[in-house]
Amino acid sequence: MPVYEQHRQDPATQQRMNMAQAAARNWHQNHAGNITRSSGSALITIPVVVHVLYKDASQNISDQQIQSQIAVLNQDYRRLNADTSNTVSIFDTIAADAQIEFCLAGLDPQGNPTNGITRTSTAGGQFLGYFSPFFEDAKYDSLGGKNAWPTDQYLNIWVCELFPGLLGYAQFPGDAAASDGVVVTYTAFGTMGTVTAPSTLGRTTTHEVGHWLGLYHIWGDDNDCTTGSDSVYDTPNATSASQSDCQVARNSCSNEDPWWGSIDPTDNVQNYMDYSNDSCMNMFTLGQKARMLSFLYGDPRRLALFTSPAGCAAVGVQEPFSYDRYFSLYPNPSNGQITVSYFGTWNSAMQVEVIDATGRIAQTYQANAYNYTLDLSGLAKGIYTLRFIGEGGAAAKRVVIQ
Ligand SMILES: [Ca+2]
Ligand SMILES: [Ca+2]
Ligand SMILES: [Ca+2]
Ligand SMILES: [Zn+2]
């Protein structure tokens, strides 16, 4: 938050952030009513680049550790995490599948194949050798860090040694392009290798990516029940951050959004946007889902990610049931005539849904050929997601009709 306050002193940044907020509000007004636990949006896949900054070999975390973090993001944002059964009942009914997925990028900014990971040996940052949000030093070659890959094509995640006591920080939508992304300390990234208790389940990154998608802390960053708000109707008010003891019975405020009616809910300490320990947090709410989607569709830089050329690296980080890498679509963008190629093996015909940018299914068909020409020329110009649903799995591909 202090970094955010510092950035918004720049009038151009403040104006861009206001525009992102306004665009998100506009999208929200038109779409929030359609958002439910597991629908309301087409599945979105965000290409990720992880920049590892290491001062010694122990900080040069393994590919496997990085992949373990991508897996956590996919579980948490799809509500496929193993600990959903811990969610207290009052919140289980409003816990959301955000319909957002992540993959390590398959192409670098020059169009060359990549595993979505960069590695930079460094002497460290500007604060006693630690990287710091106040210097933004992780994000620039010239300060001992690594320049971002284009932030309208990639979610940039820097992993490095942050100054002591700080697990991670993030930038909100609309803020400066060059520093857009999230930074996480190497001892709280992924679920193996260098992680240390209690940050061993990858939830720091889930939390920071939540900020990157426009979410605020659920207690409103104040010390009372009235001053601040996270601008989300279904996350109860709270006086302060969770005290890391997972007190699910805590009820620090009784003035709640009218959406709750006569119910005075407990604090949602299991929310990813509280300061609870990894083992406690396990959910986003439907209201938070709507807010994240609002920024994804409303902020130009986030919306551009939908048509990023970065693709996904073909490594074992996909969900086991994802067929994504078995499909290619050509040409893309197109005039609506698209050659679809499938490289897998058929168990049964695939059901295919053509989903428009608002999440509406515009067309469906059955597919059981390895190569065929799909005719979408009857649809309006725009961005569509093709969702291929087969036996035990699914794939999602974006196409642009011009
Ligand atoms: Ca709230
Ligand atoms: Ca508060
Ligand atoms: Ca309450
Ligand atoms: Zn935070």
Side-chain angles (χ1 to χ4, degrees), residues 219-226 228 237-240 253:
W219 70 93
D221 291 290
D222 57 8
N223 295 306
D224 57 39
C225 296
T226 53
N237 289 328
T239 50
S240 59
C253 295

Side-chain angles (χ1 to χ4, degrees), residues 236-237 251-256 264-267:
N237 289 328
N251 191 347
S252 60
C253 295
S254 293
N255 60 318
E256 302 293 359
D264 175 12
T266 51
D267 297 1

Side-chain angles (χ1 to χ4, degrees), residues 218 229-237:
I218 56 169
S229 167
D230 65 351
S231 299
V232 172
Y233 60 93
D234 60 0
T235 48
N237 289 328

Side-chain angles (χ1 to χ4, degrees), residues 207 211 217 275:
H207 174 107
H211 286 314
H217 295 133
Y275 267 0

Side-chain angles (χ1 to χ4, degrees), residues 13-52:
T13 299
Q14 181 65 67
Q15 188 189 12
R16 216 173 30 242
M17 295 183 78
N18 291 346
M19 285 169 65
Q21 299 267 359
R25 263 198 305 279
N26 186 38
W27 189 90
H28 192 270
Q29 273 164 8
N30 294 321
H31 296 87
N34 301 329
I35 289 173
T36 63
R37 184 183 195 118
S38 56
S39 65
S41 168
L43 189 63
I44 298 160
T45 304
I46 297 175
V48 177
V49 56
V50 174
H51 304 294
V52 179

Side-chain angles (χ1 to χ4, degrees), residues 19-91:
M19 285 169 65
Q21 299 267 359
R25 263 198 305 279
N26 186 38
W27 189 90
H28 192 270
Q29 273 164 8
N30 294 321
H31 296 87
N34 301 329
I35 289 173
T36 63
R37 184 183 195 118
S38 56
S39 65
S41 168
L43 189 63
I44 298 160
T45 304
I46 297 175
V48 177
V49 56
V50 174
H51 304 294
V52 179
L53 308 174
Y54 61 96
K55 295 194 279 183
D56 59 46
S58 72
Q59 297 181 1
N60 192 12
I61 62 172
S62 68
D63 288 1
Q64 290 73 22
Q65 185 172 347
I66 293 165
Q67 287 156 9
S68 76
Q69 181 62 68
I70 303 296
V72 168
L73 287 173
N74 284 324
Q75 289 159 12
D76 289 352
Y77 280 80
R78 297 300 319 278
R79 195 153 172 81
L80 295 169
N81 43 308
D83 51 2
T84 56
S85 55
N86 295 343
T87 305
V88 296
S89 58
I90 192 172
F91 294 116

